[in-house]
Structures are given as structure tokens and as C-alpha cells.
Amino acid sequence: MSSSPFFTALDRQFNDGQKLVFWNDPDSEFITEIDALDISGVKLLRLDQTPALKAKVLLEQDPDSRWLVYATADCPAPEDDWLLDARLRGKAFSADSASMQLDELGLSSRVLHGHLKQRAKFMRAKDRVERLKRWVQPGDQAADLDRKMLAVLARSDTPDASGIFLKVFQSLANEGADLTLTPKPLNDMAAQDLDSAFWSLAEEEFGYREAGTEPPSMRGLLYRVLVTDFCQAIGLTPSSLNHFMITDRVRAAHASVFASRWRSDMANYASYNALSAVVAEELHVSAMLAALSAEQLVHAMTFESIDKRVIADLKSRIIAGAGANMDAVRELMAKRRDGHWANTLLAGANDHTKALAASYDALGAAASFFELQAKYSQGFSFGSADAAFASYRSELFRFDQLYRNFMRATDAVEPMGWSLLHELRERMEDAYSGWFIGQLSSAWDAVVGGPSGLLQHWKLADVPNQQNFFEQFVTPSYSSGAKRVYVVISDAFRFEAAEELTSTLNSKNRVKARLETMLGVLPSYTTLGMASLLPHKQLAYRSNAALDVTVDGMACATLEQRSAVLGRHGGVAISRDELMEKGKLGGRDFVKPHQLVYIYHDHIDAIGDKRSTEGKTFEATEQAVRELQELVSFIINNLNGSTIFVTADHGFLYQESALEDADRSKVEDAMPGVIKPKKRYILGRGMWPMSGAWTGNTSITAGTEPGEGSVDFLVPKGAGRFHFVGGARFVHGSAMPQEIVVPVIVVKEGDAEKTRIKTVDVSQLGSSNRIVTNKQRFEFIQTEAVSDRVLPVTLMFSIRDGDQVVSDEQALTFDSASPLMEERKRSLMLTIQSGDYDRNKDYFLVARDAKTKAEAWRTTMRIDLAFSNDF
């Protein structure tokens, strides 16, 4: 027998002794289920299939059987009832589905009987009823039931209003984000006569209803929610948007909380992005933003175009400011980078997010570049070569680093087709190539050339020469107890990139890195630079056309030849890629017989030294930093390496703009003694001096064997080139700091505890734990400065009831390196969603790591909104 309630009731009728039961079902509610009736010993007589006279005969012919007489019509009047005598002997049965549904749902209020009859369409489907039963509570009222039915039809994970609207909006976005269409969940609601309940819920939650007889629409609802969120954030309402504002202040706050949670939700941010873009276009938001400043827009996250407007505003300030007032620009950028559109740690890290984040990276680099330029507005002046070298090593390298970072950031924006940064890019190129390189060249020439210049002796106090690398760095390591030393040589890995790698390495556990420098050999090119880094007693040129360099009489141009040289010192040479491919076990087997391992890496020079790919030089530099960091980690973690040196054969000069003829130092056609002419250096013997070039001999600048073992050279002054054949934007070979300030990163495996990294600690300021307004400001302090081993952190803040969010959720990044506590404070304003709050209950201010989602801390709060409303 079926377990449905009405079948159970029928069975009870016959068990009570009834032989004749009449069931009238005028609405045909159970017509599809009647044939499934299975009550032992009961015969079914259907009056919708059997004429009344025939039914009368059947009942009279078999009076001892038990009969269920089912009709799909009301009971007829007595004078028209052929079965009146039988009906009087029997008993009427009424299957009131609404009553039975009340019992099935466990509802305590009989007042809902009529409401369930109105929702008969919804209740006919068993699967819908089963899903509804999961959420129904005994005390639910009509509005609660409707909301939960809407949640079933929207296929929401929860029966709350936010979950319903999120699912409907998601469907609208997935169906093409056409605001003239009705999304499938809303069509399903209309089919079950629940569309009016949906719009009633929209009015209850957001105060949304159209004026007059205008029917509600998805466009109207979205306009109200997003416009209200936008205007509340900027603190004013443009006249063209005034009629879309939600006027009820509590519901307006609720709309802002809903919008914030919608765009930060991992499952729904895509629908927010799509629909907000449509609304922004239809309302011409970009045109409105033109009159608003970055300060007015700093807290508004409603539309993506807001960030574009802020970027445009800040770009203009950076250009106009020429390095002044950059702290204000950075503060505004920090707040925007914590928001939805430009924070790659939050939901929505798509191509647009990455491009906006890159735009702020570019602005930050430009601000710092122009700030540094303002510091040296009078140009550069050095008292000596030692001072010049020290100045570049301590600060001037930042120009090169910031220029590279800016160009990489703008390259990441270019695929979007935005013109936001074009003007700033032109200004940066002019400042770097036109000002910095020119000013540095002039000041550098003053200490390099001349009778007492650096070229005359090529030595600096307390700075090793590159050809002394092995005896200055490697040999002492063995005396300090190293059993095996690793030397990593990356072709064209210049100082500013090494400084970045050093910081990256120091942000890793078990690693302790220190950046040193050497005075590079001159000319600064691969053959000579690579040879100078090998263990040797003698460097010498061969008198052949290629001018090969030998190490203690041995060739060293190829990896195999260098391995042979190292073999005399218990060492071996291998490429970075080959070593990494061996993996942990293969790598250990490879290095086991050797106490010295040279690892060669070539990515920057391989890309930059070709006309077809030189435009990717900075991309290659970024990739080189990643690859070298991976290599160092591999050596420490897999090969048990504890002593590593990362260095280079030379650096490089690079500029984005094309060079002009004025950048070329023309060599006279009749120049004698030329053996090897290159863009940035010429090797030979007995060459004439040139006014635009420095001259010298490698016996002085590289320690090669005097006489036949050395060669003369010409290198262009400043950033000049001898020719542009084969590409001219990426060069090396001469004596600019970018080429000859050679980095040496000394890497040690550190004590696990002493080299452990952590994120900064953050605490809430203030002693009050009571929330008395719908908008509450909170202030926090970063308790320690960011350093190599104390890393920045981005935290997500919200107010929660247990784990249920009852406010918007906002991000703050704590990344200050300032020693001043006042400069490490951050604040935000959280908006509490509308609702009833128990003033005696514990709620919580919760901070979660935006990257790991782990909870950092929570503080008990009380919410008491009874006497105050901030709206």
C-alpha cells in the first residue's frame, strides 16, 4: 500500500468497518494517483469511467464487497444522484491535500491551509516538495513558505533572500546578460504562480517597486541595487541617477551589503561582473565619472569603469607632479588595489582584474621613478669612481629596476586595448632614455675616463674584480666548512634583477641571501666574462680570428670545455635546465662525485641578443628571476646544497624606444687593427683612439696575460653603439654601471628557525566592542614593519553571526615597511545588513587571510542598533 497520507486515511476508513466509501475529487488532484491505490480487499469504481446506472447495478450485485467509489466531480444534488441510496449507506471521504500537506511539512499553523491551496501548482511536484521539506520550520508563515519555494525554484543552496537573488542574477548573466529577457528561474516561478512572490521579496529586501502601473523588471531591480551601492559609496547622487536610488535608508544599506557580497562571492562574481558592465554601459557611467576625482571614488567598487577613471586621474597627477606628493597617490592606489576589480587575491582574478592590477603596478613604478628623479633633479655628480659605483649599487640601480617594472606592467595592460597609460609610457621613456641614461653617462664618463680615471687601473676599494671571483668568494667557502659549492652563472643577469631575486630568496624558508658586487671585466661580453669566473691562474686571448679566451691554456667557450677546466678543481659544469630535468635522485647522483658545481643559465641574453626577440628583454628578465629562484630552491631542498653563489658574466643596457643616428658612434673606415667589431665593443690591436669611445687594454680591465695574451678595445661612451645591425635596443660590452656592476648573491642554507618567514601581525585598535550604527568604522594597526622575513598580508574583514556574514566584506593589505607605527595604521567602514539583532548576543569581527582563507582572528562584538541609524 502507498504511504501517502490520504491512502493511509482511506485504509483507516475501511478498517473501521466501512464497506462503501465515496470520494469526490472535483479538482482531479489525485486522478493520476488513484490507480496506484492498493488497499487489500477493496474494489475501485471510477465514476469518470463508468456510467452511474452501470455503477448502481455493480454495487447492488455485489453488496458484500468493500467498494471505493471515486468521482472527478462534486457530489450531485439528491434528485440527480443515481447512487443516492448507496451513498446514504456509505461514508464520504474528502482528500484535502492542503491539510495533508500541512501535516507532511510539519507546520503548526492551520492558518496556512488556504495559502497552501493557492500554491497547489508548486505542491503537485514531489521533488519540489521534498526539497522544500529540508528548509521548512514548524513556525513558518506564508512569507517564509513563499521565500523557500522561490529558493527551490531558483535552485539556491540556501533559502535566504540573497541566495535567491544571486541565483536569478546568475541565470540572467549566463543567458547572455540581456536585461530585456526573463531568466529561467523567474519563468519557473511564474509557471508556479510565484512570480508575484519574487517581486514582493524584492520590495521587502530592497524597497524596489516601479511607479504607477509599470511592472517590475530585472533591469529595474539591477538599476536600483547597483546605483544605490554606487551613490552610497561616493556620498552623492548624480541628478541622472536620482530616480534609481532606493529611498529607504535601511534597505539602501542592505542593497550595498548585497552588492558587496555578490561581487566577492567565488561562485557569483562572474555574474556580477557581466551584469554590472551592462548596467554601466546603459546608464553611461563612464561619462559621469569624468567629473569625479580619485578621492571621491576611492571607496566605490560598483563598476569596473571606476578603476579606469581613478587610474586616469592618478596618471595625470603623476605626470603633473613630477615626483611631488606621491604618498597621497600611493595611499589612493593601496585602497583601490584592495577592492574587487584590481585585487588578484579576491574572486574575479580574470584578465580585466590582472590588467587593472598591472595598471596600478605601472603607476606605482612611475611614481617612485619620478620621485627619485626629483631627488636628483640637478643630475648626477661623483667625486670618484668608488663613489659612483657605490651610488649606483645603493640607489641609482632603482631607476633601471623601476623602468623595467613599469614597462612590464604596461605590457600586461596592452592586450586589453586600453589607452590609459600611453601618455605615461611616453613620459617614462623620455625620462629614462632621455634624462637618466644621458645624465648618468655624463657623470660616469667623468670618473671613468681621463688620466686618473677608472680605466687607467680598473680597481675599486673594497670591490673585488670579476676575474678574482673564485679566489674571493669560492675558495674561502671551503675554509668555512663547505663540502660542496654551487656557482650559478646567468648570462646578462644585471644588478637590479639580482636585487629583486635576493629579496625573493629571503622571503623563503631555509634561505639566507646576501647581495654583493664585483667590478666586471671590460669589455663586458660573454666570452671574457664567463672565462673570468672560472678558477684560474692565467687568462689569455688566443691570436685567432675569433679571439678565443683561454683559462690556464684551456679553451672555455663551451659547456664541455668549462667542465674540463673545472675537472682540475674537483668540479663539473651543467646547464640549469639539464640539472632540473634530472630531478631529486638524478641530481644527487650527478653532484655526488664533485665538490664544485657550476650551473649555467641563459635566458636574458638568449632573448635580448636577437633583433626578432629583443623587445621581450624585460619579460625574459622577469622569467630569469623566477627560474633562478626555482633553481636555488631545488639545490637547497633536493640536493642538500648549503653554499650557493649566483652571479653573471655581464649586465646589459636596454631601452624600449628605437635608437636614433645620434646614438651611433661611427668608426672610421680606415681604422687599423680591428679584429672583432661588435655593436658595443671592438677588439683589436693598435687601433686609433676615438672621441666618442673609451679605449683600454684587457690586461688592465680583465687581468689577461700582458702582451700577446691581451687585446686592445674600443667601447662607446655612455649608451652609444657602433652599429645597429642585429638589433640595437639590447646591448652590453661597454662600461656603463648596468653592464659592469656585476652581482654576486651569496646564498646559504639558514637555520630553520632563524630563517622562518611569517606574515605581519595585525591588531584592532580601540576598546569598544559595540556596534551602534549601520555603518561602523574600524581601525587596525600592523604591529611590525614588513621586511625580508616579515611579509605583507591581505585580510578580509566582516561581521559574522557565528559563521554567517551579516555585513559587507572588505579587504585591507598591510604592507608598510615604515618603522613608524602611525604610518602602519589602516581603517575601513563595514556596513551591517538590515535585520533583527539581539543586543545581548555575541557577534564577531572576523579577519581572514585573503589568499589562504584561513581565519587570522576574531573579536567579540555586540550589535545594538535600537537607538541609532547612521543613514
Side-chain angles (χ1 to χ4, degrees), residues 128-144:
R128 291 199 294 261
V129 174
E130 287 301 315
R131 280 184 279 154
L132 179 64
K133 284 165 66 175
R134 293 180 303 166
W135 292 327
V136 171
Q137 298 296 317
D140 281 350
Q141 299 301 312
D144 300 315

Side-chain angles (χ1 to χ4, degrees), residues 45 47 50-59 80-83:
L45 180 58
L47 296 184
T50 306
L53 183 58
K54 182 177 179 180
K56 180 178 176 65
V57 171
L58 289 172
L59 292 175
D80 297 325
D81 190 357
W82 285 85
L83 301 178

Side-chain angles (χ1 to χ4, degrees), residues 225 332 584 716:
V225 171
L332 289 166
K584 179 177 181 178

Side-chain angles (χ1 to χ4, degrees), residues 697-854:
N697 186 275
T698 58
S699 63
I700 296 172
T701 59
T704 54
E705 195 69 12
E708 291 298 314
S710 295
V711 294
D712 298 325
F713 61 79
L714 290 169
V715 292
K717 295 179 180 180
R721 279 76 160 162
F722 288 129
H723 64 78
F724 297 163
V725 178
R729 290 185 291 159
F730 172 92
V731 292
H732 57 83
S734 190
M736 285 290 282
Q738 295 90 337
E739 299 166 288
I740 54 89
V741 178
V742 176
V744 180
I745 306 175
V746 182
V747 183
K748 299 285 186 178
E749 180 188 20
D751 177 84
E753 197 59 39
K754 291 182 179 179
T755 59
R756 187 175 300 280
I757 60 168
K758 54 167 285 190
T759 56
V760 294
D761 290 328
V762 176
S763 298
Q764 181 189 355
L765 289 174
S767 57
S768 175
N769 68 338
R770 187 170 295 273
I771 298 173
V772 296
T773 62
N774 295 88
K775 279 195 171 184
Q776 187 84 11
R777 178 173 295 280
F778 296 93
E779 191 171 23
F780 309 95
I781 187 163
Q782 176 187 320
T783 59
E784 55 202 325
V786 166
S787 64
D788 284 342
R789 305 209 175 275
V790 181
L791 307 182
V793 67
T794 298
L795 297 177
M796 299 293 297
F797 293 94
S798 61
I799 304 297
R800 293 176 180 259
D801 179 359
D803 198 46
Q804 180 68 35
V805 180
V806 296
S807 72
D808 58 342
E809 193 169 19
Q810 294 188 38
L812 279 181
T813 297
F814 298 89
D815 58 359
S816 174
S818 172
L820 303 177
M821 295 188 73
E822 192 63 32
E823 295 182 358
R824 302 202 299 266
K825 292 180 181 179
R826 298 293 307 275
S827 64
L828 56 73
M829 185 87 74
L830 290 178
T831 303
I832 313 301
Q833 70 182 32
S834 59
D836 295 323
Y837 297 98
D838 184 345
R839 70 182 65 179
N840 297 314
K841 181 179 178 179
D842 285 345
Y843 299 89
F844 301 94
L845 171 63
V846 177
R848 290 184 174 177
D849 190 306
K851 188 174 185 179
T852 66
K853 312 306 177 189

Side-chain angles (χ1 to χ4, degrees), residues 140-450:
D140 281 350
Q141 299 301 312
D144 300 315
L145 284 179
D146 281 353
R147 175 169 44 79
K148 291 172 182 180
M149 290 178 184
L150 292 173
V152 169
L153 294 170
R155 299 194 173 277
S156 174
D157 297 327
T158 58
D160 60 280
S162 292
I164 296 166
F165 289 115
L166 288 176
K167 283 295 185 181
V168 173
F169 290 147
Q170 184 181 63
S171 179
L172 180 63
N174 291 343
E175 293 166 26
D178 184 344
L179 303 192
T180 64
L181 300 180
T182 302
K184 183 180 183 301
L186 196 51
N187 280 327
D188 291 343
M189 294 170 191
Q192 307 306 320
D193 296 333
L194 278 161
D195 51 334
S196 61
F198 175 81
W199 294 116
S200 294
L201 185 63
E203 183 174 0
E204 178 188 346
E205 291 289 305
F206 306 119
Y208 166 62
R209 64 180 302 170
E210 294 290 351
T213 59
E214 183 76 17
S217 66
M218 294 304 297
R219 173 181 274 113
L221 177 58
L222 280 166
Y223 279 13
R224 297 316 192 281
V225 171
L226 297 182
V227 166
T228 299
D229 179 54
F230 171 62
C231 294
Q232 292 235 117
I234 65 174
L236 58 90
T237 304
S239 58
S240 60
L241 299 180
N242 190 59
H243 56 300
F244 293 127
M245 275 291 291
I246 297 170
T247 55
D248 182 274
R249 291 183 295 180
V250 173
R251 289 188 171 94
H254 185 63
S256 289
V257 173
F258 173 79
S260 174
R261 290 170 60 182
W262 179 11
R263 59 180 167 254
S264 63
D265 185 271
M266 287 296 292
N268 293 290
Y269 73 82
S271 64
Y272 181 90
N273 291 357
L275 295 176
S276 65
V278 174
V279 171
E281 183 177 2
E282 291 185 358
L283 295 179
H284 308 291
V285 169
S286 293
M288 296 179 204
L289 297 176
L292 300 175
S293 68
E295 283 83 0
Q296 290 173 295
L297 295 170
V298 68
H299 298 297
M301 301 296 167
T302 314
F303 305 110
E304 180 186 295
S305 50
I306 294 170
D307 270 289
K308 293 181 181 178
R309 168 59 193 150
V310 171
I311 289 166
D313 187 10
L314 297 182
K315 173 202 69 176
S316 298
R317 296 188 198 189
I318 290 170
I319 292 174
N325 303 317
M326 291 300 105
D327 285 343
V329 169
R330 290 190 187 94
E331 185 176 348
L332 289 166
M333 287 194 295
K335 291 178 179 177
R336 293 309 302 178
R337 298 193 67 149
D338 281 335
H340 168 72
W341 298 104
N343 193 334
T344 55
L345 293 177
L346 304 183
N350 52 29
D351 289 342
H352 280 241
T353 301
K354 293 172 183 175
L356 288 170
S359 296
Y360 286 116
D361 286 342
L363 292 178
S368 295
F369 186 98
F370 291 129
E371 199 171 46
L372 194 59
Q373 182 184 22
K375 180 179 177 179
Y376 292 97
S377 59
Q378 301 304 310
F380 309 107
S381 178
F382 309 119
S384 65
D386 292 271
F389 192 95
S391 182
Y392 182 83
R393 181 176 56 191
S394 63
E395 185 172 52
L396 298 188
F397 77 91
R398 294 287 180 195
F399 283 107
D400 298 305
Q401 192 177 67
L402 291 167
Y403 175 70
R404 172 173 63 85
N405 290 339
F406 175 86
M407 290 301 172
R408 282 296 296 138
T410 54
D411 285 345
V413 180
E414 283 300 309
M416 305 305 298
W418 302 343
S419 59
L420 282 172
L421 300 175
H422 287 179
E423 181 185 5
L424 184 58
R425 183 165 177 143
E426 291 174 2
R427 294 296 185 95
M428 273 292 287
E429 183 61 38
D430 182 62
Y432 180 79
S433 300
W435 176 81
F436 172 65
I437 293 298
Q439 291 289 332
L440 183 63
S441 297
S442 177
W444 191 252
D445 179 48
V447 296
V448 171

Side-chain angles (χ1 to χ4, degrees), residues 484-787:
R484 182 179 294 114
V485 174
Y486 295 85
V487 176
V488 178
I489 303 174
S490 182
D491 202 330
F493 191 61
R494 70 182 185 180
F495 180 79
E496 59 89 3
E499 192 273 343
E500 182 178 308
L501 175 58
T502 303
S503 296
T504 301
L505 291 174
N506 278 326
S507 69
K508 306 297 178 184
N509 285 325
R510 298 183 62 199
V511 178
K512 186 176 181 180
R514 181 182 79 254
L515 181 58
E516 302 282 352
T517 53
M518 299 184 293
L519 177 60
V521 295
L522 192 66
S524 51
Y525 73 108
T526 299
T527 299
L528 184 58
M530 289 295 185
S532 70
L533 294 170
L534 290 166
H536 64 271
K537 292 182 179 179
Q538 181 191 73
L539 290 178
Y541 277 91
R542 283 180 174 169
S543 297
N544 56 5
L547 286 180
D548 293 329
V549 178
T550 62
V551 173
D552 295 335
M554 299 179 68
C556 60
T558 67
L559 190 67
E560 292 75 16
Q561 290 170 345
R562 293 169 194 164
S563 198
V565 171
L566 293 167
R568 290 182 170 183
H569 303 269
V572 67
I574 188 172
S575 72
R576 180 257 183 199
D577 292 346
E578 185 180 356
L579 180 62
M580 296 289 281
E581 287 170 3
K582 289 181 180 295
K584 179 177 181 178
L585 296 179
R588 286 185 175 184
D589 288 341
F590 176 78
V591 303
K592 189 175 181 179
H594 310 288
Q595 64 177 9
L596 178 63
V597 181
Y598 269 52
I599 304 164
Y600 290 90
H601 173 254
D602 182 11
H603 190 65
I604 298 173
D605 201 71
I607 297 295
D609 209 24
K610 299 181 181 67
R611 179 187 289 274
S612 61
T613 57
E614 68 174 356
K616 296 181 178 181
T617 294
F618 286 160
E619 179 183 344
T621 304
E622 189 176 284
Q623 178 67 22
V625 171
R626 285 196 298 270
E627 290 181 357
L628 292 171
Q629 185 269 315
E630 291 168 0
L631 175 59
V632 170
S633 295
F634 177 80
I635 294 170
I636 290 176
N637 297 323
N638 294 294
L639 306 184
N640 294 326
S642 60
T643 302
I644 307 165
F645 297 99
V646 182
T647 188
D649 52 347
H650 54 76
F652 66 87
L653 276 173
Y654 178 80
Q655 65 183 59
E656 284 286 324
S657 58
L659 281 88
E660 301 175 353
D661 196 59
D663 297 308
R664 182 166 55 189
S665 299
K666 188 174 181 181
V667 181
E668 293 186 38
D669 294 335
M671 173 70 72
V674 173
I675 301 174
K676 193 172 186 176
K678 294 290 183 180
K679 282 176 291 192
R680 189 78 175 138
Y681 64 93
I682 299 174
L683 301 180
R685 291 189 172 94
M687 297 179 292
W688 295 335
M690 288 177 54
S691 60
W694 288 309
T695 62
N697 186 275
T698 58
S699 63
I700 296 172
T701 59
T704 54
E705 195 69 12
E708 291 298 314
S710 295
V711 294
D712 298 325
F713 61 79
L714 290 169
V715 292
K717 295 179 180 180
R721 279 76 160 162
F722 288 129
H723 64 78
F724 297 163
V725 178
R729 290 185 291 159
F730 172 92
V731 292
H732 57 83
S734 190
M736 285 290 282
Q738 295 90 337
E739 299 166 288
I740 54 89
V741 178
V742 176
V744 180
I745 306 175
V746 182
V747 183
K748 299 285 186 178
E749 180 188 20
D751 177 84
E753 197 59 39
K754 291 182 179 179
T755 59
R756 187 175 300 280
I757 60 168
K758 54 167 285 190
T759 56
V760 294
D761 290 328
V762 176
S763 298
Q764 181 189 355
L765 289 174
S767 57
S768 175
N769 68 338
R770 187 170 295 273
I771 298 173
V772 296
T773 62
N774 295 88
K775 279 195 171 184
Q776 187 84 11
R777 178 173 295 280
F778 296 93
E779 191 171 23
F780 309 95
I781 187 163
Q782 176 187 320
T783 59
E784 55 202 325
V786 166
S787 64

